[in-house]
Amino acid sequence: MRAVDIIIKKRDGHELSREEITFFIEGYTRGEIPDYQAAAWAMAVLLRGMTPRETTDLTLAMAASGETLDLSGVVPIAVDKHSTGGVGDKTSLVVEPVVAACGLAVGKMSGCGLGFTGGTLDKLESIPGYRTNLSTAEFLRQLKETGLVLTGQSADLAPADGKLYALRDVTGTVQSIPLIASSIMSKKIAAGAQAIVLDVKVGLGAFMQTLPEARQLAELMVQIANLAGRKAVALLSDMNQPLGQAVGNALEVREAIDTLHGNGPEDFEEHCLIVAAQMLLLGGKAKTPEAARTMAEQALADGRAWQKFRTLVSAQGGDLTYIDEPERLPRAAIIEPLPAPRDGYLARIHARMVGETAMILGAGRAKKGDPIDHAVGIEVHHKVGDYLSADEPVFTIHAADAERLAEARRRLSTALAWSDDPVEPLPLFYGQPIR
Amino acid sequence: MRAVDIIIKKRDGHELSREEITFFIEGYTRGEIPDYQAAAWAMAVLLRGMTPRETTDLTLAMAASGETLDLSGVVPIAVDKHSTGGVGDKTSLVVEPVVAACGLAVGKMSGCGLGFTGGTLDKLESIPGYRTNLSTAEFLRQLKETGLVLTGQSADLAPADGKLYALRDVTGTVQSIPLIASSIMSKKIAAGAQAIVLDVKVGLGAFMQTLPEARQLAELMVQIANLAGRKAVALLSDMNQPLGQAVGNALEVREAIDTLHGNGPEDFEEHCLIVAAQMLLLGGKAKTPEAARTMAEQALADGRAWQKFRTLVSAQGGDLTYIDEPERLPRAAIIEPLPAPRDGYLARIHARMVGETAMILGAGRAKKGDPIDHAVGIEVHHKVGDYLSADEPVFTIHAADAERLAEARRRLSTALAWSDDPVEPLPLFYGQPIR
């Protein structure tokens, strides 16, 4: 078998066999197939597509390229959740404690944020002492003992995906639904997930900007899970405007804590309850959607979810005084409101522009390895559809210096659109869960 | 400007600007743009295509990537000819002396053969002493003094094309008409050609297997020449069966010598006269196609073309005794006929299979740098449409040993197809010259 023949076969629009895909991924992981052949292959895949069967074989080949975790000895069923990334998406900080409080153990390995989307690890690292670099042994022990872990990737999971993703980033081959789906699913499967709730974001601040492409990605990931013998459900959630009110690491941790106390923004709490209920259903903790929803609501209302979050932070070395008194979390030097320039209905709060502004303030990374300022970020006080009077604050900017404050003001102004006529609020989710 | 944005633009089917193409080719030549980005770009070009304007800009950027020859001080008009490569294609050995004998100077830089097609240089090197590595100074002096040069690439012509071609070969991106056209034309333009006759082969033994794709390549190359301020004409010639009777280096030199003496195979002589007439027309030596044809016929008939060939061989250090007595040229150890297995009309003599058999006998290279056996090859005694009786020889095999003789017998038998009903002969050319 020769790599060039596999490239040509895909170039000409034919379906690759499992053997061909495995040969290619194994060869690429070992460095026997060079980057330039993988780049040509990735472009051919992007332009010619892949069937669900091919994409599943690609996913499994990438999952098998490194270590794989087997959680079956630790938890009855390993349930995971994945968000495709958005602005203000601190969902894991609330959903995982809720679910764990309901008795469904969750061990989650997250990534760092890149570009305009934040990462769960960066948020957690706002809490002094919180360790995101648990070893595999620590991960397994904590999962068994406390039923909840939120850490970075400890094991060498799906190294083929890591290598291929870095290559795709510089060869214009990121925007391929089969390649995106297999990248996500290979890491989940390598991490031992047996059931996965997929939160596929769609809109201005998501990688998938249109509903048809988001639905295609969601359906493909569910198909991969099923073909690979896993359970999965996918939700399509709105990412035209930021989720909740906080964008930026410590700001988002504070919002998560408020939500765990029952004082979070309405849209964010509702989003968390829906995702948590799907996890409880998939993990077999509840028999009906209604029962799952009630279970999640109760865990939030009676403080068990909050206690679970405290246990998590404590188990991973975080200083509890910072979450018990969240005003101690990092605060920016300058905190200033940005008022509405006019009366009117908010017609757009461009999520990507808000995310990019947060990144420029220092909350995110333009490239891997860039430092993060946990204190800075943006509060978004309104939702699309709200009526505001001139001079009412739309945003509050948390900046490190005057220069970046000015830049953030300039950018955030262009993120808004106004209407004299009433504007429909945006939905939280689109359509029914995809199974 | 970033390479990845240029890849994405082409991936999405947009037209690249001259600045973008030049940036990409210059960066790639200097090694600032890595192979993996060029590979993804080439695949995007293959699948998305390029306009004639883009292809011309690519051609000129590759031509400008190294040295460029200016022949305007040496010859009144620099006319060149290019064949896209075929089996038994020793045309240059006859056409160039004919044209030079008519007073139109021709300085041609050829490449080595690869795969199933032979190279002009390999053929000439059958003549002991013949040098194919003239320096640029030697090339220019000989062109001025004798009006005829046939040598290898002396200068560092279009290095971007050399680098890109090697990459395309291993990334499944050879079969792109814009990339093929720009590869050919960039070398011709860098070598100083002002007028070019393009002999585009089509059929079983050519890179272009169908008439529509061959016509597309021919038309594109003529467009590039015109957009780049050069004159060009393209011919579409048949390459379903080998051209002439000889396939293999010394065998082809012998056939060229026979043809220069007026004793060559009818199809090959006719092919040469048509190509030569086009060069004479394009170079302004003749006003009408009829006058050009007569001029070429006379140069062949009265021995001037043969004398020109002797001058060429002598000027490049070749031993004239070998061409004056061609039976002294390298001869294979085993020379055996392959008889027809039955009575009937020849329906197919698969040119690629004949070419591959010659390569396996040792006449060609499977890969760059492989050694060549100048003595071995195949004589093809018949043309498609001929009626043969069983046991009449179809081929004569010239082999170095019994093992390769047996392999050649086996392969050549499968190259033939037979019919009980009369079969139309194949044409030499398809359609009118493309201007």
Side-chain angles (χ1 to χ4, degrees), chain A residues 170-244:
Chain A
V170 291
T171 55
T173 50
V174 169
Q175 288 295 341
S176 153
I177 287 178
L179 294 180
I180 294 169
S182 57
S183 173
I184 293 169
M185 297 303 285
S186 65
K187 278 176 291 194
K188 293 289 139 195
I189 289 174
Q194 292 161 303
I196 310 153
V197 175
L198 296 156
D199 182 7
V200 178
K201 307 286 189 190
V202 55
L204 297 172
F207 289 112
M208 301 289 120
Q209 306 221 335
T210 69
L211 206 50
E213 61 180 351
R215 191 179 300 280
Q216 207 186 330
L217 175 63
E219 286 172 353
L220 182 56
M221 290 197 291
V222 171
Q223 276 180 294
I224 292 170
N226 293 336
L227 287 168
R230 267 78 175 178
K231 296 202 280 183
V233 62
L235 307 169
L236 300 177
S237 65
D238 180 75
M239 191 35 74
N240 286 296
Q241 62 186 347
L243 182 61

Side-chain angles (χ1 to χ4, degrees), chain A residues 339-355:
Chain A
R342 50 164 283 181
D343 295 348
Y345 293 92
L346 258 175
R348 190 191 73 190
I349 311 171
H350 198 301
R352 186 166 54 73
M353 289 186 178
V354 173

